Amino acid sequence: NYPNGKKIAEPTNKKASEKRKNTVFSRRGMRLESMIDDANEYYLTHDIANIHKKPTPITIVDVDYKSRSTARITDAYFVKPSTTDYNGVYKGFYLDFDAKQTTNANNFPLSNVKQHQIDHLTSVLKNGGIGFMIIEFSKYDEDFILPASNLLDFWRESLKEDGAKSIKYQWFVDNTSQINSKILPIFDYLSAVGSLLENGR
């Protein structure tokens, strides 16, 4: 303390460091999509990757157009089912993926995935792209990279009469890469994609 009894302020850089450290552990509750978007912005800004969320294909029927700045869509419909949410380029590889959340503590229900997404990821793999899904178990605040090749295997198994209709949480823990929190970006999912690039799948 100073002689007048006032407490000495902590150095600014120390405060900033503490704030960044706390941010890493306080992402619980953030929407998965928001974390991916923030990571993509960081990757693009730092020339790491060029990945974007795909626009949803819609046809506009009616617009409330009082002025250009206040125009808003009042009626529209989906042209066709969306495929996956994200695609882009990383280290010369084409990436195509979707993100799913589950509140189930024990497994990820395959009913969360749609047939048109399976068809799309099948095509991505056939054409040499890297396909995967980011699966979040919200109960544990844990996220995993599920390679499309594994997803397709589970999907085919689920179509059998006695086939499993979900993927167990423990399977993710034992067989996939987990996305760990960092300072920047907080949700560094590309670090967990490395094994897919090495295997070319």
Side-chain angles (χ1 to χ4, degrees):
N1 292 339
Y2 285 117
N4 62 8
K6 291 185 178 180
K7 188 176 181 180
I8 300 174
E10 291 183 316
T12 304
N13 61 343
K14 183 177 181 181
K15 283 186 175 180
S17 176
E18 290 282 333
K19 184 176 181 181
R20 287 195 300 269
K21 186 184 296 183
N22 291 335
T23 300
V24 172
F25 299 103
S26 65
R27 74 174 181 87
R28 182 180 296 276
M30 285 181 67
R31 292 190 59 187
L32 179 58
E33 183 179 305
S34 296
M35 293 191 295
I36 295 173
D37 290 342
D38 288 347
N40 288 343
E41 184 176 346
Y42 178 88
Y43 295 145
L44 185 63
T45 302
H46 291 78
D47 292 324
I48 297 172
N50 190 317
I51 301 170
H52 298 277
K53 183 175 175 61
K54 301 176 188 176
T56 303
I58 63 170
T59 291
I60 299 173
V61 177
D62 194 19
V63 179
D64 183 0
Y65 200 87
K66 294 178 181 178
S67 69
R68 187 177 185 84
S69 61
T70 61
R72 63 189 183 91
I73 299 172
T74 56
D75 191 12
Y77 63 88
F78 293 108
V79 177
K80 59 182 178 179
S82 180
T83 52
T84 50
D85 285 344
Y86 298 90
N87 67 350
V89 180
Y90 173 54
K91 292 186 175 180
F93 290 93
Y94 171 76
L95 304 186
D96 200 299
F97 64 97
D98 205 278
K100 304 284 186 182
Q101 290 175 295
T102 180
T103 57
N104 195 314
N106 300 315
N107 58 65
F108 171 72
L110 287 168
S111 58
N112 289 356
V113 183
K114 306 306 177 187
Q115 181 65 57
H116 63 267
Q117 294 179 316
I118 292 295
D119 295 340
H120 176 72
L121 287 172
T122 299
S123 177
V124 168
L125 295 189
K126 284 183 177 178
N127 285 279
I130 305 294
F132 59 93
M133 284 197 170
I134 294 176
I135 306 296
E136 177 169 288
F137 283 85
S138 56
K139 182 176 179 63
Y140 308 118
D141 194 31
E142 293 179 353
D143 303 89
F144 302 90
I145 297 293
L146 173 61
S149 56
N150 291 128
L151 173 61
L152 298 180
D153 288 341
F154 280 112
W155 184 267
R156 283 189 289 268
E157 182 65 22
S158 73
L159 298 179
K160 299 177 182 178
E161 187 174 345
D162 58 345
K165 310 301 180 186
S166 63
I167 307 174
K168 294 185 180 300
Y169 164 77
Q170 192 59 45
W171 183 89
F172 284 93
V173 173
D174 295 338
N175 297 281
T176 68
S177 298
Q178 186 172 349
I179 301 171
N180 298 313
S181 297
K182 291 177 57 179
I183 298 297
L184 288 172
I186 293 175
F187 194 71
D188 185 21
Y189 68 88
L190 284 183
S191 291
V193 174
S195 61
L196 297 185
L197 304 186
E198 292 172 8
N199 298 329
R201 58 175 184 162

